[in-house]
Amino acid sequence: MKNREILLVKRPDGAPANEHFSIKETAIPELSEGEVLTRLLYVSVDPYMRGRMNEGKSYIEPFQLNEPIEGGAIAEVIQSQADGFQEGDIVTGSLPWREYTSVNAGSVRKIDPALGPITTSLHVLGMTGLTAYFGLMDIGQPQEGETVVVSGAAGAVGSTVVQLATIVGARVVGIAGSDEKVQLLQQLGADAVINYRTEDVSTALAEACPDGVDVYFDNVGGEISDAIYPLLNKFARIVQCGAISSYNKKNDQGPRIQQYLIKSSALIKGFTVGDYRERYPEGFQHLSKWLQEGKLTYEETITEGFENILQAFFDLFTGENVGKQLVKINEPSHKE
Ligand SMILES: NC(=O)c1ccc[n+]([C@@H]2O[C@H](COP(=O)([O-])OP(=O)(O)OC[C@H]3O[C@@H](n4cnc5c(N)ncnc54)[C@H](OP(=O)(O)O)[C@@H]3O)[C@@H](O)[C@H]2O)c1
């Protein structure tokens, strides 16, 4: 059996590209007591990974040069020396971009296929779903009839936020970058959708939000967010989830926002989903209930092949994905 892994070999100074990575053949690892040998099935590519490619302190350690990239993944156990795990188990956890990996069984969790297709553990019943749930419900606290604006609205986090805001009875305005995404958001229940690539965002927002903005769930930062601040209502809440428009930039300056926050007595709060680790069971419970009731759905863009992981990651920054971007590496040996 051959094994391959993807290493970071150079830190990007702008958009990530093939020259920053290397795909290398490597040996199949030996198994020690307490470990499982896994075969990669799906990889999640995520915008936050770009931040880990930079040097320096953040909320999470940077990737090391000449070491494999790692992130959310689904794998199948093909050998086990750990109690409670056996061949054929499907697990999820943070795994290296390597086809076969031995990991401590304590660092992965078994996926319960009864909850839904296994890929949901990488989005709506996983990291991006929990991000949407806690960011919106805990920080945004939307009330029935309020106006919620969501940027990056057709992505993994954004498309879940749009639906959750609809569930609580808010008026939802989504912002996304293609007509296909506009259509999807309309189907998901958004009351108005703006294509920021073809429309003037300030003009379109003024039309879409005649009563102002009560909650802004920000996935993108930059000029799109600059257009929101003047519309904030009294006691508005800004959920600062992401700022993908600046991840590939060294300097990103914009209008000062303090005056808007003061005028509206608005709250702006950044967060990472890990802040809510203790409350994950609550998030899972609500998300899976809404999923089972058909109130929540999800969209996936699935690229195939280990050698295409990097391109799928690069494509996040040009918006090729609709919903959650995943890469399928292998079929499970036993059908779901
Ligand atoms: N705080 C947390 O714990 C946490 C957790 C997960 C994710 N996040 C953040 O949440 C955001 C969304 O993450 P995700 O996983 O759901 O990714 P995603 O939205 O599925 O994918 C990224 C999307 O961002 C949009 N985009 C890319 N470059 C842009 C730009 N310059 N301006 C505006 N939009 C741009 C693209 O859609 P368009 O076609 O619409 O441009 C693209 O499809 C990211 O900023 C991510 O870092 C935060």
Side-chain angles (χ1 to χ4, degrees):
M1 275 193 309
K2 275 192 190 163
N3 199 8
R4 284 182 298 176
E5 60 185 8
I6 301 179
L7 313 176
L8 177 70
V9 294
K10 194 174 157 194
R11 297 198 183 279
D13 182 20
N18 282 318
E19 61 177 295
H20 304 116
F21 305 90
S22 155
I23 301 186
K24 204 182 89 181
E25 280 201 9
T26 183
I28 306 278
E30 295 290 322
L31 209 52
S32 307
E33 192 54 39
E35 289 185 338
V36 290
L37 180 64
T38 62
R39 171 172 165 267
L40 206 50
L41 301 182
Y42 288 92
V43 157
S44 170
V45 290
D46 291 275
Y48 80 87
M49 293 174 156
R50 174 63 187 84
R52 293 193 71 184
M53 290 166 193
N54 296 333
E55 209 161 15
K57 195 171 172 288
S58 180
Y59 66 94
I60 186 166
E61 287 297 307
F63 291 126
Q64 298 302 308
L65 284 180
N66 303 312
E67 292 290 330
I69 302 292
E70 65 164 57
I74 298 171
E76 178 178 13
V77 173
I78 56 167
Q79 275 176 33
S80 172
Q81 286 198 19
D83 289 343
F85 286 82
Q86 59 185 27
E87 199 185 314
D89 283 347
I90 307 291
V91 295
T92 184
S94 186
L95 296 174
W97 287 358
R98 185 191 290 133
E99 289 174 296
Y100 296 92
T101 299
S102 60
V103 286
N104 189 306
S107 67
V108 291
R109 75 174 166 87
K110 279 195 229 179
I111 298 174
D112 178 0
L115 292 177
I118 58 173
T119 54
T120 56
S121 68
L122 292 180
H123 46 81
V124 68
L125 295 182
M127 192 270 278
T128 58
L130 292 168
T131 302
Y133 175 82
F134 288 111
L136 185 70
M137 300 307 197
D138 199 67
I139 303 173
Q141 300 192 10
Q143 307 298 308
E144 196 176 340
E146 284 191 329
T147 299
V148 176
V149 177
V150 186
S151 59
V157 173
S159 59
T160 307
V161 173
V162 164
Q163 296 175 81
L164 298 186
T166 307
I167 290 171
V168 301
R171 184 165 183 284
V172 187
V173 178
I175 307 177
S178 74
D179 289 343
E180 182 194 3
K181 294 184 183 189
V182 169
Q183 265 181 20
L184 168 74
L185 290 164
Q186 286 163 341
Q187 285 160 16
L188 294 181
D191 297 277
V193 189
I194 298 166
N195 179 342
Y196 74 90
R197 290 187 201 272
T198 58
E199 294 178 72
D200 177 76
V201 177
S202 294
T203 312
L205 268 173
E207 254 174 54
C209 306
D211 300 325
V213 175
D214 300 296
V215 178
Y216 174 40
F217 195 106
D218 189 4
N219 283 312
V220 306
E223 288 173 12
I224 291 173
S225 298
D226 293 343
I228 314 273
Y229 305 126
L231 299 176
L232 293 174
N233 284 337
K234 193 83 181 163
F235 302 119
R237 287 82 68 199
I238 301 171
V239 185
Q240 198 58 59
C241 176
I244 192 167
S245 71
S246 63
Y247 293 173
N248 290 328
K249 295 180 183 166
K250 271 202 169 148
N251 291 308
D252 189 24
Q253 291 177 347
R256 310 275 183 229
I257 66 168
Q258 291 85 346
Q259 54 165 327
Y260 300 113
L261 299 178
I262 296 164
K263 265 195 289 203
S264 58
S265 304
L267 169 90
I268 180 166
K269 189 172 188 310
F271 77 107
T272 63
V273 64
D275 301 344
Y276 292 93
R277 199 171 301 278
E278 308 284 302
R279 288 175 57 193
Y280 282 176
E282 168 200 327
F284 281 128
Q285 198 193 346
H286 281 98
L287 292 164
S288 48
K289 178 173 165 282
W290 287 320
L291 199 60
Q292 272 159 20
E293 289 172 353
K295 291 183 179 163
L296 182 60
T297 179
Y298 58 86
E299 201 67 29
E300 298 172 326
T301 299
I302 301 186
T303 300
E304 303 236 349
F306 186 83
E307 59 289 351
N308 295 320
I309 294 177
L310 286 169
Q311 190 59 50
F313 171 65
F314 304 154
D315 286 350
L316 292 172
F317 299 94
T318 50
E320 306 302 316
N321 63 304
V322 181
K324 177 68 195 140
Q325 177 69 60
L326 299 173
V327 185
K328 183 174 180 179
I329 317 296
N330 286 298
E331 277 288 341
S333 324
H334 310 284
K335 273 264 169 239
E336 281 181 60

